[in-house]
């Protein structure tokens, strides 16, 4: 049953039904006085007052200061605001939402949360939008906190890559997470988030029960977060080759989990939460990159604030600064650097390290290769997942946890099957303001599409069986991903047979194609020995055979990730001239293609035994095409160590006073995405607001 | 207080002649007696005649002189200056040329041309005596080779049947393009068989192949050899009358020669889960291949033999079925959908 949030009668600025995007709270934005109507101290914008430690001049002060306005940050902000604290969210991007905004909204919690209970009872939602019966049987939804805690600390689970996703999780943090899953589910629902039927569990969320619904909105004539409706245009569905400023990724059909007219993805989660956060008077400072923590002494005393710099994003064509979709509560601060004081606490929710080659390489040295981005780099900009929380917290003495966990999730770093675009993890069509930063939607060929071309490295040589290259191992979640001997309700937690050597041998399926792609080759030069860019080489016959559309917006001859030429040699030349990370020419490409064609004629690939896995096609009919193959680093595992209150712990095992963290900045929880971030933000926001400021 | 000695183990002497130094590696010869502080290389190397190239610098790990800020005059084989740049040492210790000498044009004659990078200024501290001495001696010139190769002719053969029947005619399209952009309209090529006998001589036309800017082509009719099995023929192209040097190009042309392909292999390709047909599925039973129609039905004409039959379709992984074919056969190929996580599945 969806709990509806009551109309906020104390705020004189409640918008009319049907969100008007630009004129909501414009008047209040500049002075940040949206919260004035609520009985809470306001952020004081006056400059130059109150010198702090070392003579710091504070430009702003607030009770709870949150670095990062994504999954964990917005959740923490609303929670702290509900507790009566004044809250400021600072985000480096031009808009809120982080990666939650272009996620799939698959939100795995459990422990007997109200959505599991709803589906177990065969009930619908209070608004009556859900007209389909539950997808899971009651037995699959019969969950409790102890079972959830057992699942996420289960020593015995080994994945198809022989890694253990649950064994290394931080136990105190897992207990807190499991206990707070049901309250967080209700909290999200109280802030306009609507959940579909439960359908399975997300990676790292446990093997025993189904715990994950998606988030949905209903297509309608007007976009109204309170009513739960969205226009086809705003959902990115009005035009097959466009999306919208509201939805960076087109929403997906949710008929099977809700009913006709329902659509789902991260838009149905991020926008409602953002709407609620703004409505409740949280202050927001966008285009503002959290740079560093300010602690009373380098490794002692309280964390008292942050330093943050101005990081606007300028559209490459219009030359204009990108502006957030909604404005109410925004503080438009443009000074190059400001110091912001947190009276109660700072919460680090600025994401992980996936976008920073220098930092992420502590987990995998070969990924110091800057050619390979993090996901969502167009939407989120150059600060995406730049590891700032890790850097800043380590500088004040923070400890870390889960250091090997980047190896035990299949989506952490992986070969993307979307070709011809740098931002290869999701598609995005023209119509979103950040499309210009990627220039192409990308060609989604799927894992099965890899039989259609050859994959070459930076010197133009093949390096692996293309058909096995994009394979990813499973994610060890209900109902089993074939890595546990007991599937579905037959699964037995904490059982030695889950990791008996015979079983692991039998269930191992990983071919290490990604690692072959990252290996050194003859083009890898000192001192970095980067492995370099990767290319899918194909010909016109490939296009005729597959029907792939090599045209805008899917590919773009000017973005440096797609090339077309009359000959293989010209193709190699165009790649070298046009790709930003082509350090050396693909001098072997001609020989590679000729050799490959000989293998095709012979029906055998002596280098990589392709003929055993799928058909082989010659590359002979002009014109010839090269599309980038990306390695994407998506999730960040391993990061700051936290206790059950999500205080950041130092190298002596003590909480750092005034410092909290949630989301991908936190290490020691090998769970993919949203369910982790929301609960961690919920916990951090709760305790941060309770600090005596 | 204890004074620590330098220790008993022998450390290797530092090697000043690290990578990139041109130095003698044995008995001195007159040509290799000089050790230069850096090495200039062309990119690419070698360069095709009259094509553009750029220069990069390689320095040894322990350069014999301070190179940062040194100005270079790049001079061609006739001593004409074609570029100027400065050696810049980055914060990572790697030296680069700034600006990068780019867009240089290689000579039109093949072979090794000796260019020079001449150090223009000496940034060591000077007193008057040194300055006078420097003025008297010539500036240091570091020679480097600009190796010029002939243009390559790109040869492609397409629209050829993957299996040809012994002794029967077949056709293929041959296309030629010069990698440096020389106009290949009307250029000649010949096709020779496995023992070198010419089976065809022809010229490409003057219309570019569909989808290309300037790849000229010709459709060629040939007769398959009488012997069953693999055969590798050759397409030879060269252009002796062109002002630019073009290297002879011999491109293999692969044939799979079969006896009569009279056995009908009929397939129905369906979705393994729903049973729905997979339109335009690809069927490959090496060396035969075809596409299914909109109803997922396909027919291959094959010779008797052992085959590994692959069927694949858009959004499906390939299925495989190994079988011996002796007479007409019907098969149903069940394809499993590509289980790649969707955006929604993969994202939290």
């Amino acid at each position: 049953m969806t709990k509806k949030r009551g109309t906020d009668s104390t705020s004189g600025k409640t918008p009319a039904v049907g969100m008007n995007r630009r004129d909501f709270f414009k008047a209040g934005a500049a002075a940040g006085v949206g919260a004035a109507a609520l009985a809470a101290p306001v952020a004081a914008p006056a400059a130059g007052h109150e010198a702090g430690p070392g003579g710091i001049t504070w430009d702003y002060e607030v009770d709870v200061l949150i670095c990062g306005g994504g999954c964990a940050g917005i959740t923490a902000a609303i929670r702290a605001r509900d507790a009566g604290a004044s809250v400021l969210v600072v985000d480096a991007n031009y808009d809120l939402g982080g990666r939650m905004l272009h996620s799939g909204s698959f939100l795995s919690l459990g422990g007997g949360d109200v959505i599991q209970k709803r589906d177990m009872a065969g009930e619908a939602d209070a608004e009556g939008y859900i007209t389909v019966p539950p997808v899971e049987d009651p037995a699959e939804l019969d969950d409790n906190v102890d079972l959830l805690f057992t699942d996420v600390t289960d020593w015995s689970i080994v994945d198809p890559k022989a890694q253990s996703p649950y064994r290394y999780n931080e136990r105190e943090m897992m207990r807190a997470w499991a206990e707070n899953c049901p309250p967080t589910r209700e909290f999200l629902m109280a802030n306009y988030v609507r959940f579909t039927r439960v359908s399975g569990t997300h990676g790292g969320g446990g093997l025993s029960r189904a715990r994950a619904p998606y988030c949905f909105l209903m297509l309608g004539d007007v976009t109204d977060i309170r009513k739960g409706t969205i226009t086809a245009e705003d959902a990115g569905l009005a035009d097959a080759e466009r999306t919208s400023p509201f939805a960076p990724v087109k929403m997906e059909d949710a008929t099977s989990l809700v009913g006709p007219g329902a659509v789902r993805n991260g838009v149905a989660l991020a926008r409602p939460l953002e709407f609620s956060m703004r409505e409740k008077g949280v202050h927001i400072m966008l285009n503002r990159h959290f740079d560093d923590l300010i602690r009373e002494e380098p490794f002692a005393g309280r964390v008292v604030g942050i330093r943050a710099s101005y990081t606007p994003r300028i559209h490459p064509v219009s030359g204009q600064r990108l502006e957030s979709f909604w404005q109410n509560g925004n503080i438009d601060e443009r000074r190059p650097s400001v110091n912001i004081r947190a009276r109660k606490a700072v919460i680090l929710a600025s994401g992980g390290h996936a976008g920073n080659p220098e930092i992420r390489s502590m987990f995998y040295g070969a990924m110091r290769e800057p050619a390979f981005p993090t996901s969502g780099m167009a939407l989120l900009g150059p600060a995406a997942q730049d590891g700032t929380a890790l850097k800043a917290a380590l500088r004040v003495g923070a400890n870390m946890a889960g250091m090997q966990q980047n190896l035990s999730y299949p989506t952490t770093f992986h070969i993307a099957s979307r070709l011809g675009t740098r931002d290869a993890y999701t598609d995005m069509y023209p119509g979103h303001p950040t499309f210009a930063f990627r220039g192409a939607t990308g060609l989604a060929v799927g894992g099965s599409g890899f039989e259609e071309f050859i994959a070459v490295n930076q010197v133009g040589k093949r390096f692996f069986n293309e058909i096995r290259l994009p394979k990813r191992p499973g994610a060890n979640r209900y109902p089993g991903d074939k890595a546990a001997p007991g599937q579905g309700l037959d699964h037995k937690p904490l059982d030695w047979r889950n990791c008996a050597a015979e079983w692991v041998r039998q269930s191992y399926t990983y071919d290490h194609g990604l690692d072959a792609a990252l290996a050194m080759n003859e083009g890898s030069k000192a001192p970095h020995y980067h492995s370099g860019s990767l290319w899918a080489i194909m010909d016109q016959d490939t296009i005729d055979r597959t029907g792939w559309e090599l045209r805008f917006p899917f590919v773009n001859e000017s973005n440096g990730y797609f090339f077309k030429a009359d000959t293989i040699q010209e193709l190699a030349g165009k790649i070298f001239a046009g790709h930003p990370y082509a350090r050396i020419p693909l001098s072997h490409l001609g020989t590679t293609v000729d050799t490959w064609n000989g293998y095709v004629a012979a029906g055998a690939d002596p280098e990589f035994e392709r003929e055993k896995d799928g058909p082989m096609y010659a590359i002979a009919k002009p014109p010839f095409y090269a599309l980038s193959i990306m390695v994407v680093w998506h999730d960040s595992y391993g990061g700051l160590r936290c206790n059950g209150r999500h205080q950041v712990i130092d190298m002596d095992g003590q909480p750092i006073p005034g410092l909290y963290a949630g989301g991908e900045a936190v290490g020691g929880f090998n769970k993919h995405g949203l369910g982790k971030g929301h609960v961690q933000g919920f916990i951090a926001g709760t305790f941060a607001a309770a600090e005596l400021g | 207080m204890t004074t620590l000695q330098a220790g008993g183990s022998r450390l290797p002497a530092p090697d000043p002649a690290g990578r990139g130094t041109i130095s003698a590696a044995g008995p001195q010869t007159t040509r290799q007696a000089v050790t230069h502080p850096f090495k200039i290389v062309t990119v690419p190397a070698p360069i095709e005649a009259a094509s553009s190239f750029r220069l990069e610098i390689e320095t040894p790990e322990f350069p014999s002189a301070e190179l940062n800020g040194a100005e270079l005059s790049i001079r061609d084989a006739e001593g004409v200056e074609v570029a100027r740049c400065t050696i810049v040492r980055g914060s990572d210790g790697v030296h680069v040329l700034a600006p990068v000498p780019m867009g240089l044009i290689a000579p039109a004659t093949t072979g090794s041309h000796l260019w020079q990078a001449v150090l223009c200024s000496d940034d060591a501290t000077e007193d008057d005596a040194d300055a006078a001495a420097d003025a008297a001696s010539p500036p240091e010139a570091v020679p480097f080779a600009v190796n010029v190769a002939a243009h390559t002719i790109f040869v492609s053969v397409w629209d050829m049947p993957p299996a040809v029947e012994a002794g029967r005619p077949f056709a293929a399209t041959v296309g030629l393009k010069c990698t440096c952009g020389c106009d290949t309209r009307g250029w000649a090529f010949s096709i020779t068989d496995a023992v070198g006998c010419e089976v065809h001589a022809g010229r490409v036309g003057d219309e570019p192949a569909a989808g290309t800017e300037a790849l000229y082509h010709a459709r060629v009719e040939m007769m398959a050899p009488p012997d069953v099995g693999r055969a590798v023929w050759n397409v030879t192209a060269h252009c002796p009358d062109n002002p630019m040097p073009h290297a002879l190009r011999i491109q293999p042309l692969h044939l799979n020669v079969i006896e009569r392909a009279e056995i009908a292999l009929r397939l129905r390709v369906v979705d393994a889960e729903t049973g729905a047909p997979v339109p335009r599925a690809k069927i490959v039973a090496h060396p035969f291949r075809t596409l299914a129609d909109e109803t997922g039905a396909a027919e291959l004409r094959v010779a008797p033999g052992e085959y590994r039959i692959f069927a694949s379709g858009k959004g499906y992984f390939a299925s495989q079925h190994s079988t011996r074919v002796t007479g007409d056969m019907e098969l149903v190929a069940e394809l499993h959908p590509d289980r790649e996580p969707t955006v929604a599945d993969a994202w939290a």
Side-chain angles (χ1 to χ4, degrees):
Chain A
M1 206 142 89
T2 312
K3 288 199 194 146
K4 295 296 294 288
R5 186 183 167 282
T7 307
D8 181 7
S9 54
T10 55
S11 161
K13 302 196 180 173
T14 309
V17 163
M19 258 323 267
N20 295 312
R21 301 158 200 179
R22 295 287 181 264
D23 53 18
F24 184 39
F25 274 7
K26 248 200 309 212
V33 297
L38 297 158
V42 301
H49 71 288
E50 190 166 348
I56 297 223
T57 300
W58 297 110
D59 301 296
Y60 291 85
E61 73 171 43
V62 71
D63 286 341
V64 175
L65 173 55
I66 301 177
C67 304
C71 175
I74 293 183
T75 308
I78 298 173
R79 184 73 177 148
R81 186 79 198 96
D82 282 351
S86 62
V87 181
L88 172 64
V89 171
V90 167
D91 197 293
N93 201 14
Y94 78 101
D95 202 353
L96 290 165
R99 300 196 299 164
M100 168 178 56
L101 178 59
H102 71 134
S103 76
S105 78
F106 198 33
L107 213 161
S108 188
L109 296 172
D113 69 44
V114 290
I115 295 298
Q116 288 177 306
K117 293 197 158 102
R118 176 196 76 190
D119 281 8
M120 266 180 80
E123 288 172 2
D125 58 317
E127 294 167 300
Y129 284 139
I130 298 180
T131 51
V132 301
V135 169
E136 305 282 8
D137 294 335
E140 300 177 288
L141 299 161
D142 186 8
D143 203 359
N144 61 74
V145 167
D146 287 326
L147 179 58
L148 183 60
F149 177 54
T150 298
D151 269 2
V152 295
T153 50
D154 191 335
W155 70 273
S156 70
I157 306 299
V158 168
D159 73 12
K161 213 177 146 198
Q163 301 287 332
S164 299
Y166 300 107
R167 180 182 295 173
Y168 305 105
N169 284 342
E170 282 283 320
R171 295 163 178 179
E172 182 191 349
M173 205 168 66
M174 292 302 94
R175 186 72 207 178
W177 182 80
E179 287 176 358
N180 282 283
C181 275
T184 301
R185 182 78 77 192
E186 293 191 41
F187 172 82
L188 295 170
M189 292 165 67
N191 287 280
Y192 301 121
V193 178
R194 293 164 171 85
F195 290 104
T196 69
R197 290 295 186 201
V198 173
S199 170
T201 296
H202 215 339
L207 275 156
S208 295
R209 295 291 183 269
R211 297 174 169 135
Y214 295 87
C215 304
F216 76 93
L217 289 167
M218 301 301 292
L219 288 173
D221 296 326
V222 68
T223 296
D224 182 344
I225 298 295
R226 291 179 172 188
K227 284 230 166 88
T229 60
I230 184 169
T231 63
E233 252 175 62
D234 281 343
L237 297 174
D239 183 327
E241 291 181 13
R242 286 188 74 77
T243 186
S244 75
F246 195 75
V249 180
K250 289 170 176 294
M251 298 189 80
E252 294 195 36
D253 176 52
T255 302
S256 61
L257 297 172
V258 179
V263 288
R264 61 170 164 107
N265 76 4
V267 171
L269 171 63
R271 291 296 189 197
L273 283 180
E274 178 190 346
F275 178 90
S276 184
M277 183 177 80
R278 291 182 184 272
E279 194 178 47
K280 287 179 169 179
V282 168
H283 303 287
I284 294 146
M285 197 185 287
L286 296 167
N287 308 305
R288 184 62 50 181
H289 182 273
F290 150 60
D291 290 338
D292 226 339
L293 292 167
I294 299 170
R295 193 173 181 183
E296 284 171 327
E297 287 169 59
F299 299 105
R302 290 191 70 79
V303 166
V304 291
I306 69 169
R307 193 172 55 252
S309 55
Y310 183 52
T311 53
R313 293 183 71 192
I314 308 300
H315 194 279
V317 175
S318 73
Q320 301 298 307
R321 188 180 85 159
L322 296 187
E323 301 298 334
S324 58
F325 190 82
W326 287 319
Q327 315 279 316
N328 52 304
N330 282 3
I331 300 173
D332 191 5
E333 170 62 70
R334 303 198 186 204
R335 280 175 287 176
S337 181
V338 294
N339 298 322
I340 307 174
R341 180 166 174 244
R343 286 191 287 260
K344 288 178 183 277
V346 173
I347 302 179
L348 297 176
S350 50
H353 46 264
N356 187 327
E358 289 298 336
I359 296 189
R360 72 191 187 194
S361 63
M362 75 171 83
F363 302 99
Y364 195 163
M367 282 301 287
R368 201 140 54 233
E369 167 61 85
F372 300 134
T374 185
S375 43
M377 41 78 54
L379 174 68
L380 300 168
Q385 310 295 315
D386 68 359
T388 300
L390 203 54
K391 272 174 27 181
L394 284 171
R395 277 205 276 266
V396 298
N399 205 334
M400 294 180 74
M403 302 301 287
Q404 73 283 71
Q405 292 184 317
N406 274 323
L407 296 175
S408 42
Y409 194 76
T411 313
T412 302
F413 30 76
H414 61 279
I415 301 276
S417 62
R418 182 167 284 107
L419 311 179
T421 178
R422 179 169 174 78
D423 200 354
Y425 196 70
T426 50
D427 58 21
M428 181 194 280
Y429 287 86
H432 192 273
T434 63
F435 180 81
F437 294 105
R438 55 191 279 173
T441 302
L443 185 74
V445 303
S448 58
F450 277 62
E451 72 179 43
E452 302 287 356
F453 49 78
I454 59 170
V456 302
N457 62 18
Q458 64 178 346
V459 293
K461 282 190 169 166
R462 290 176 68 219
F463 57 91
F464 203 69
N465 176 335
E466 287 82 0
I467 292 176
R468 295 186 183 217
L469 181 61
K471 262 178 64 177
R472 289 190 235 167
N476 282 75
R477 44 152 172 186
Y478 187 86
D481 278 338
K482 301 200 171 57
Q487 296 287 289
L489 293 172
D490 293 333
H491 168 65
K492 279 167 84 156
L494 306 174
D495 190 83
W496 69 278
R497 282 165 282 242
N498 292 330
C499 53
E502 298 85 346
W503 170 255
V504 173
R505 201 173 295 129
Q506 172 193 332
S507 66
Y508 193 93
T509 60
Y510 184 54
D511 290 298
H512 302 257
L514 164 76
D515 309 278
L518 293 171
M520 287 189 288
N521 50 67
E522 67 181 65
S524 306
K525 304 280 189 237
H528 303 295
Y529 296 98
H530 289 316
S531 53
S533 54
L534 305 165
W535 299 94
I537 306 295
M538 60 188 78
D539 68 349
Q540 186 58 38
D541 269 334
T542 311
I543 307 312
D544 295 339
R545 201 165 54 228
T546 58
W548 288 341
E549 296 188 73
L550 294 189
R551 61 168 177 87
F552 188 82
F554 304 104
V555 293
N556 183 339
E557 271 187 86
S558 353
N559 77 348
Y561 289 77
F562 167 75
F563 300 95
K564 170 183 170 179
D566 289 357
T567 71
I568 293 292
Q569 281 79 0
E570 281 171 33
L571 194 64
K574 285 191 178 184
I575 294 171
F576 182 57
H579 181 65
Y581 295 97
R583 301 179 186 101
I584 43 170
L586 283 80
S587 46
H588 293 284
L589 190 60
T591 312
T592 297
V593 171
D594 286 345
T595 307
W596 169 254
N597 290 339
Y599 293 164
V600 174
D605 169 19
E607 288 179 75
F608 302 108
E609 300 179 20
R610 266 278 299 267
E611 76 279 3
K612 298 195 177 141
D613 289 333
M616 295 162 63
Y617 306 98
I619 298 172
K621 181 169 181 176
F624 301 93
Y625 303 95
L627 287 81
S628 61
I629 300 174
M630 278 292 125
V631 174
V632 173
W633 190 313
H634 177 51
D635 290 344
S636 298
Y637 296 108
L640 300 173
R641 182 174 144 198
C642 288
N643 61 12
R645 292 194 293 272
H646 275 276
Q647 294 176 285
V648 177
I649 305 300
D650 71 11
M651 291 288 182
D652 294 314
Q654 300 304 309
I656 296 177
L659 187 61
Y660 292 77
E664 288 197 288
V666 175
F669 190 4
N670 217 166
K671 186 192 174 320
H672 182 61
L674 296 170
K676 170 169 74 175
H678 286 303
V679 177
Q680 294 191 345
F682 180 84
I683 296 170
T686 305
F687 288 99
E691 292 252 358
L692 307 168
Chain B
M1 185 180 81
T2 307
T3 304
L4 298 170
Q5 300 295 341
S9 59
R10 274 179 292 132
L11 296 170
D15 174 17
R19 65 177 174 87
T21 304
I22 307 162
S23 61
Q28 299 250 338
T29 67
T30 49
R31 289 187 68 186
Q32 293 177 340
V34 184
T35 300
H36 293 289
F38 57 86
K39 184 175 167 191
I40 299 291
V41 296
T42 67
V43 177
I47 312 151
E48 283 164 317
S51 295
S52 75
F53 65 100
R54 68 166 207 264
L55 298 177
E56 286 184 356
I57 186 170
E58 287 178 6
T59 50
E61 197 154 357
F62 304 103
S64 56
E66 173 59 61
L67 296 172
N68 193 25
E71 268 192 48
L72 293 179
S73 166
I74 307 294
R75 298 180 188 168
D76 67 12
E78 281 79 46
V80 175
E81 181 178 276
V82 295
R84 282 186 88 92
C85 56
T86 309
I87 302 177
V88 174
R89 185 177 178 279
S91 56
D92 56 359
V94 176
H95 290 85
V96 294
L97 299 174
V100 176
M102 298 177 41
L104 304 170
I105 303 298
T109 45
T110 56
S112 187
H113 304 262
L114 206 61
W115 287 28
Q116 291 190 326
V118 182
L119 280 159
C120 299
S121 65
D122 185 353
D123 61 353
T125 54
E126 302 176 7
D127 58 12
D128 289 337
D130 283 345
D134 286 345
S137 62
E140 182 168 7
V142 176
F144 62 97
V146 173
N147 293 323
V148 176
H151 294 188
T152 320
I153 303 175
F154 176 80
V155 177
S156 196
V157 182
W158 69 93
D159 282 348
M160 194 177 98
V164 296
E165 288 185 349
R168 302 283 291 270
F170 71 97
T173 305
V174 174
L176 300 182
K177 189 161 184 197
C178 166
T179 52
C180 294
C182 301
D183 190 334
T184 57
R185 263 179 273 233
W187 281 23
F189 63 92
S190 65
I191 300 181
T192 51
D193 67 12
V195 297
C197 294
E198 189 178 274
V199 297
H200 180 88
R203 291 181 176 276
V204 295
D206 48 19
E207 287 297 322
T212 70
E213 291 179 9
L215 197 153
Y216 298 99
H217 62 294
R219 189 81 178 145
V220 177
E221 305 268 339
M222 292 168 279
M223 195 69 74
D227 298 324
V228 166
R230 288 269 331 262
V232 183
W233 289 5
N234 286 308
V235 181
T236 304
H238 58 124
C239 195
D241 298 326
N242 194 281
M244 285 292 148
H246 287 84
L248 177 77
R249 178 60 179 238
I250 303 177
Q251 182 76 14
L253 190 162
H254 296 279
L255 298 177
N256 276 301
V257 185
I258 53 160
E259 54 184 272
R260 292 297 159 79
E262 286 172 334
I263 296 178
L265 191 57
R266 291 189 192 88
L267 289 106
R268 228 169 25 91
V269 186
V270 298
D271 182 310
E273 289 171 12
T274 65
V278 177
R280 290 181 58 79
K282 296 152 282 177
I283 316 293
V284 172
H286 181 74
F288 303 97
R289 47 189 73 220
T290 189
L291 280 178
D293 63 19
E294 294 301 319
T295 71
E299 181 172 304
L300 267 181
R301 293 265 149 192
V302 306
E306 296 255 8
Y307 293 96
R308 182 187 272 146
I309 304 168
F310 287 109
S312 55
K314 186 169 188 168
Y316 293 96
F317 287 110
S319 72
Q320 60 173 284
H321 184 91
S322 291
T323 187
R324 167 172 280 287
V325 175
T326 50
D328 290 359
M329 267 182 88
E330 295 205 0
L331 280 175
V332 176
E334 294 188 341
L335 303 190
H336 290 275
D338 184 349
R339 280 272 171 238
E340 176 82 25
T342 63
V343 169
D345 290 337
W347 285 89

